[in-house]
Amino acid sequence: MADRRGQLVTRVRGMLGEALGATRTRLSTAQAELTTARERLAKVRRAAAVVPERVGAQRDRRLAEIDDRHAARIAELARRAADAAQREAPGAASADWTRWRPTPTRRAEPPGALRIGTVRIPGAEPVPALVPLLDAGHVELTGDDREGCDAVVSALLLRGVGRADPGAVRLVGYDPEHLGGGLAGFAPLGTAGLLTFVGPGGLARLLDDLVEQIRRINETVLAGEYGSLRELAAATGRRPEPWRVAVLLGGDELSRHERGQLDRVVRTGAACGVHLVVRGVSLPEDPTVTRVGAHADGARIGGPTGLPVRLDPPPPPALVTETCREVAARVNAGPAPTPFTDLLPPPEQMWREDSATGLTAPIGEGPHGRPVLLTLGDYPPHALIGGPSGTGKTNLIFAWIGALAARYSPSELEFYLLDFKEGVSFARFAKGRRDPSWLPHMRLVGINVNTDREFGLALLRFLAEELRRRADAAKKHEVTKLAELRAVDPTGHWPRIVAVVDEFQMLLAGRDVVAREAADLLEDLARRGRSQGIHLVLASQDVRGIEALWGRPALVAQFTLRIALPKALRILAERNDAAQSLPRHHAVVNAESGMAEGNQVARIPSASDWETWSELQHRLWRMRPQDAAPARLFDGDAIPRLADAPDFRALTAPETGHPRTPVALLGEIIDVQARSAALRLPRAPGRNLAVLGTRVDEACAVLDAAARSLARQHRPGTARFSIACLDPDADPAARSLYEDLADDAAWYDEETVGELMAEAAEGLATPGTPHYLLLFAVDAAAGALATRIGRRTGLEELRRILHDGPERRTHVLAWWRGVARMRADLGGPAARTDQIGAWVALDAHGGELGSSLYPGTGGPDWYPRPWRGLFFDRAVHRTGQVIIPYGPAR
């Protein structure tokens, strides 16, 4: 029992020892692990103490990087926004007031958005704050900052006016509280009609007018073809309507009608260039409305939660006034003319039109950008043009002629142009020294004919004869109109004729035979010319020219096409004053006899300068037919030369014998053709010539031309020319003639002229060689001729030669320095003058010539003028013929 207990104790003790050992081992291990854990904890604590500092530094570095990238991005965005704003609103649309000036865009381009302030972005340059207005929408101003609102209104209006073409922006002000004071700086625009004010109570009328403008533009301008004026301008390059901006500054509560009209303007106005800038008037919600709130604590675009902006200060008052004055002055001066090429067809389409039924060509651009056409045909047949000096009448004529000439070939159209005012602008249509080209359509150009009314009468006579020729042809072919005649006679030459007479009132001035015949011919041509393709275009810058027509209502009624230039009077109907408000380079075209309902306003291109016209004329000249001849140019200030006269060049001497009927050329007839005044010298009584007057050069020129033309018809040695010069002033001309006639001429002076008379009288007994006595100032030899040589005095021999000589081939061509002196040499006041069969009066008045030299009583209706003569041949003429003596041969 005891052993078992001892064994058990020993066993227990062994087990406890083992347990104690194991425990001690685990304790030691635990203590080691505890030490290790404590060491690890210390390390962790030490490491944890370092992390916040490192993480903070890393965080700060990352935040700094983010801030830098953000700032760079903001700066880049701000720069790009500023660049976009500059592109959208260049020049006057966004420039600072310190360097602001008007910078108009092209008319077809919208001005873009307009600056009212800046957007402040931290760390970046300010960005312009832009508001869309013209062609974009409307602007409503709200808030308690009145000065800020006023600044926005002034900025928008000035920038819009300065960015658009002068006159392209029109303002209407409604300011019932301050009666226009809010727009006082823009008042100079009113002088050009660009600013109008509507008084209190006028808002309804203003809105009604804006709605009517929108309706008209939609109906007649856009016409369903374009959605807006901006779209039209982009497609055509032209903007036919201005921008209209109505500025509404407060007022009473709107009526139901006013609110309805305002809503219509908001919805439809922007597409038609009608815009609103309002303060104190609420606009309806619409995408086209931009709201700007100006408050004491700042301003915003787009409402209370919109983009904050810093408003610009108002433009300086002096800048506003000066700009508006400059714009008004430019508008009052008128817009620049459009290019002449706008009237012309493409080169490949020139001369493609047919004039059988009429002539149609554009004259300019209408207010809607479409061409305004002029037509001459059965209706309207003739045109009347009027306008004061400097309004562009000559330019209009050039433009019309150019537009027609580019469309119709010379076989379809001919021009006859007559200019009664001084100047040579129309001479370019004819061949000249500076430019050898000419307009192939032009048949006649008369310039500087202000003192040669006879030339205008000659043109009317020529047209009357052409009218008779065409009427005879129409009668022969049993037709009535030119189109029908051309159809049945295609081989005939039947172009339409356009005769332009500038300052035509000169033809109708006075109550003489020229005026009476000219009026009769004009009336006949106006009445019957339409059917035969002869059209008259009469122009005048003087109201008296128009008044000259009113006494002939039948004549005026034919001119149904009226063209009135600015300030023209009495061209249009009595109550039609459309021309009084025309700007420069514009004209009212009316094909309804001037009635107001026929008005069309055309902007006339610049066509009269040399380079513009020369390019077209050279092109058409190169296209001319091979047989084309240059136009006849009659210059009233030019003195023709005998050597250039076609009649003189046509003279020839017969191979044998004497010319059948010698012809003495005395000068150029004032006529459509360059014909010479010819005195036929057959063997018949009275075939002598008297030159009457005191003008030495002109008298010598007449005798010189007569002698040279006669000499050209005789072979050397077959005619005698006896030259007696009795006036020292005539000696150079007479000597020159004597030297050129050489062996066929004999010279006489005061001492030997008596011998000439005796010799010539004696030669009458045995007529043979033609003998021409050229007596220069024969009346100066009265003393010498009073001396008897044989049985008779020299004067008696002269009278005998005058009486009997022509039948014996002896003709006297003498110059007397007065009608009374000639009568004295012929035998006194009661002497017969039958032996003077022809005469040329220079500075001798019509009353001096009397009934003995001229048929009827009182003498011819003749007033002397420099280098002109009145030629009368008893055997040919019923009335005198005005001639221009040929200039000196050398």
Side-chain angles (χ1 to χ4, degrees), residues 285-463:
E285 292 294 332
D286 193 270
T288 62
V289 176
T290 300
R291 289 178 168 81
V292 178
H295 304 275
D297 59 349
R300 291 180 179 272
I301 296 177
T305 60
L307 179 68
V309 297
R310 177 178 294 180
L311 297 178
D312 287 337
L319 179 63
V320 176
T321 303
E322 181 182 349
T323 301
C324 292
R325 285 175 179 168
E326 180 182 346
V327 170
R330 293 185 61 181
V331 171
N332 287 328
T338 57
F340 176 51
T341 52
D342 288 356
L343 298 185
L344 306 181
E348 65 274 10
Q349 296 182 16
M350 290 184 175
W351 290 5
R352 296 289 184 87
E353 301 291 334
D354 188 310
S355 68
T357 58
L359 301 166
T360 299
I363 192 60
E365 175 186 285
H368 299 157
R370 295 180 174 87
V372 175
L373 301 179
L374 290 182
T375 296
L376 290 175
D378 287 345
Y379 188 90
H382 313 292
L384 195 60
I385 302 173
S389 177
T391 55
K393 178 163 53 66
T394 299
N395 180 74
L396 185 144
I397 293 173
F398 267 81
W400 196 1
I401 289 176
L404 287 171
R407 286 167 171 77
Y408 299 94
S409 70
S411 63
E412 299 286 335
L413 169 64
E414 290 182 349
F415 287 110
Y416 293 79
L417 182 59
L418 190 59
D419 187 2
F420 272 102
K421 68 178 182 296
E422 295 183 5
V424 296
S425 56
F426 293 139
R428 69 186 65 180
F429 296 121
K431 184 178 181 180
R433 292 187 299 272
R434 177 182 176 183
D435 186 353
S437 71
W438 69 86
L439 189 64
H441 309 70
M442 197 65 61
R443 307 314 316 140
L444 172 71
V445 178
I447 60 175
N448 293 319
V449 292
N450 50 310
T451 60
D452 290 315
R453 296 164 60 230
E454 296 84 1
F455 189 79
L457 184 59
L459 172 60
L460 296 181
R461 288 171 177 168
F462 172 84
L463 295 176

Side-chain angles (χ1 to χ4, degrees), residues 358-618:
L359 301 166
T360 299
I363 192 60
E365 175 186 285
H368 299 157
R370 295 180 174 87
V372 175
L373 301 179
L374 290 182
T375 296
L376 290 175
D378 287 345
Y379 188 90
H382 313 292
L384 195 60
I385 302 173
S389 177
T391 55
K393 178 163 53 66
T394 299
N395 180 74
L396 185 144
I397 293 173
F398 267 81
W400 196 1
I401 289 176
L404 287 171
R407 286 167 171 77
Y408 299 94
S409 70
S411 63
E412 299 286 335
L413 169 64
E414 290 182 349
F415 287 110
Y416 293 79
L417 182 59
L418 190 59
D419 187 2
F420 272 102
K421 68 178 182 296
E422 295 183 5
V424 296
S425 56
F426 293 139
R428 69 186 65 180
F429 296 121
K431 184 178 181 180
R433 292 187 299 272
R434 177 182 176 183
D435 186 353
S437 71
W438 69 86
L439 189 64
H441 309 70
M442 197 65 61
R443 307 314 316 140
L444 172 71
V445 178
I447 60 175
N448 293 319
V449 292
N450 50 310
T451 60
D452 290 315
R453 296 164 60 230
E454 296 84 1
F455 189 79
L457 184 59
L459 172 60
L460 296 181
R461 288 171 177 168
F462 172 84
L463 295 176
E465 177 60 26
E466 177 64 17
L467 177 61
R468 185 199 60 77
R469 185 180 76 88
R470 294 186 175 206
D472 289 345
K475 186 182 300 183
K476 175 182 176 182
H477 290 89
E478 299 181 346
V479 295
T480 58
K481 296 182 179 180
L482 181 69
E484 298 170 346
L485 177 60
R486 290 177 55 162
V488 300
D489 184 20
T491 60
H493 182 63
W494 309 113
R496 286 193 180 267
I497 291 175
V498 176
V500 183
V501 183
D502 197 5
E503 301 305 328
F504 71 93
Q505 72 275 5
M506 296 293 296
L507 262 177
L508 307 177
R511 298 182 178 179
D512 54 11
V513 294
V514 173
R516 289 192 293 271
E517 185 179 356
D520 291 340
L521 288 171
L522 269 176
E523 188 167 338
D524 183 59
L525 286 167
R527 181 171 50 86
R528 299 193 299 131
R530 69 168 72 201
S531 61
Q532 302 304 332
I534 298 177
H535 308 283
L536 301 175
V537 177
L538 305 184
S540 176
Q541 68 180 18
D542 193 331
V543 68
R544 291 174 300 176
I546 310 305
E547 290 174 343
L549 295 178
W550 297 138
R552 292 178 173 262
L555 174 58
V556 177
Q558 302 300 325
F559 289 82
T560 52
L561 177 57
R562 311 285 177 84
I563 305 174
L565 293 159
K567 308 302 180 184
L569 298 175
R570 303 203 69 181
I571 290 290
L572 305 175
E574 184 177 356
R575 296 184 179 180
N576 188 353
D577 60 355
Q580 302 309 306
S581 58
L582 278 181
R584 289 182 60 198
H585 312 301
H586 285 68
V588 175
V589 176
N590 188 302
E592 301 297 335
S593 299
M595 301 303 292
E597 55 269 23
N599 286 350
Q600 293 187 81
V601 176
R603 186 179 178 188
I604 311 301
S606 176
S608 58
D609 65 275
W610 178 272
E611 291 185 1
T612 298
W613 180 261
S614 181
E615 182 177 351
L616 173 64
Q617 180 161 302
H618 275 268

Side-chain angles (χ1 to χ4, degrees), residues 64-84:
E65 291 175 357
I66 293 173
D67 287 343
D68 291 343
R69 289 199 300 270
H70 179 71
R73 181 62 175 166
I74 292 295
E76 173 64 15
L77 291 175
R79 184 188 65 77
R80 292 170 62 180
D83 291 344

Side-chain angles (χ1 to χ4, degrees), residues 39-55:
E39 291 176 355
R40 187 181 304 116
L41 177 61
K43 289 181 181 179
V44 169
R45 286 177 176 174
R46 288 195 299 270
V50 176
V51 167
E53 182 179 352
R54 180 166 53 81
V55 170

Side-chain angles (χ1 to χ4, degrees), residues 132-133 135-141 203 206-215 218 244 246 248 254 257-279 281-291:
L133 181 64
D135 272 346
H138 318 280
V139 177
E140 179 185 345
L141 301 168
L203 180 58
L206 168 59
L207 294 175
D208 289 345
D209 180 68
L210 295 179
V211 170
E212 175 60 23
Q213 293 289 352
I214 295 170
R215 184 205 61 77
N218 277 320
R244 295 175 173 87
L248 312 183
L254 299 184
H257 172 75
E258 291 169 343
R259 174 57 63 184
Q261 295 293 67
L262 186 69
D263 291 351
R264 293 183 180 93
V265 174
V266 170
R267 291 196 312 270
T268 62
C272 298
V274 177
H275 307 280
L276 300 172
V277 176
V278 304
R279 188 194 69 217
V281 178
S282 63
L283 297 183
E285 292 294 332
D286 193 270
T288 62
V289 176
T290 300
R291 289 178 168 81

Side-chain angles (χ1 to χ4, degrees), residues 687-709:
R687 304 315 294 162
N688 302 299
L689 174 70
V691 181
L692 307 171
T694 61
R695 294 178 181 151
V696 177
D697 292 341
E698 297 169 28
C700 291
V702 173
L703 294 183
D704 182 89
R708 293 180 186 275
S709 56

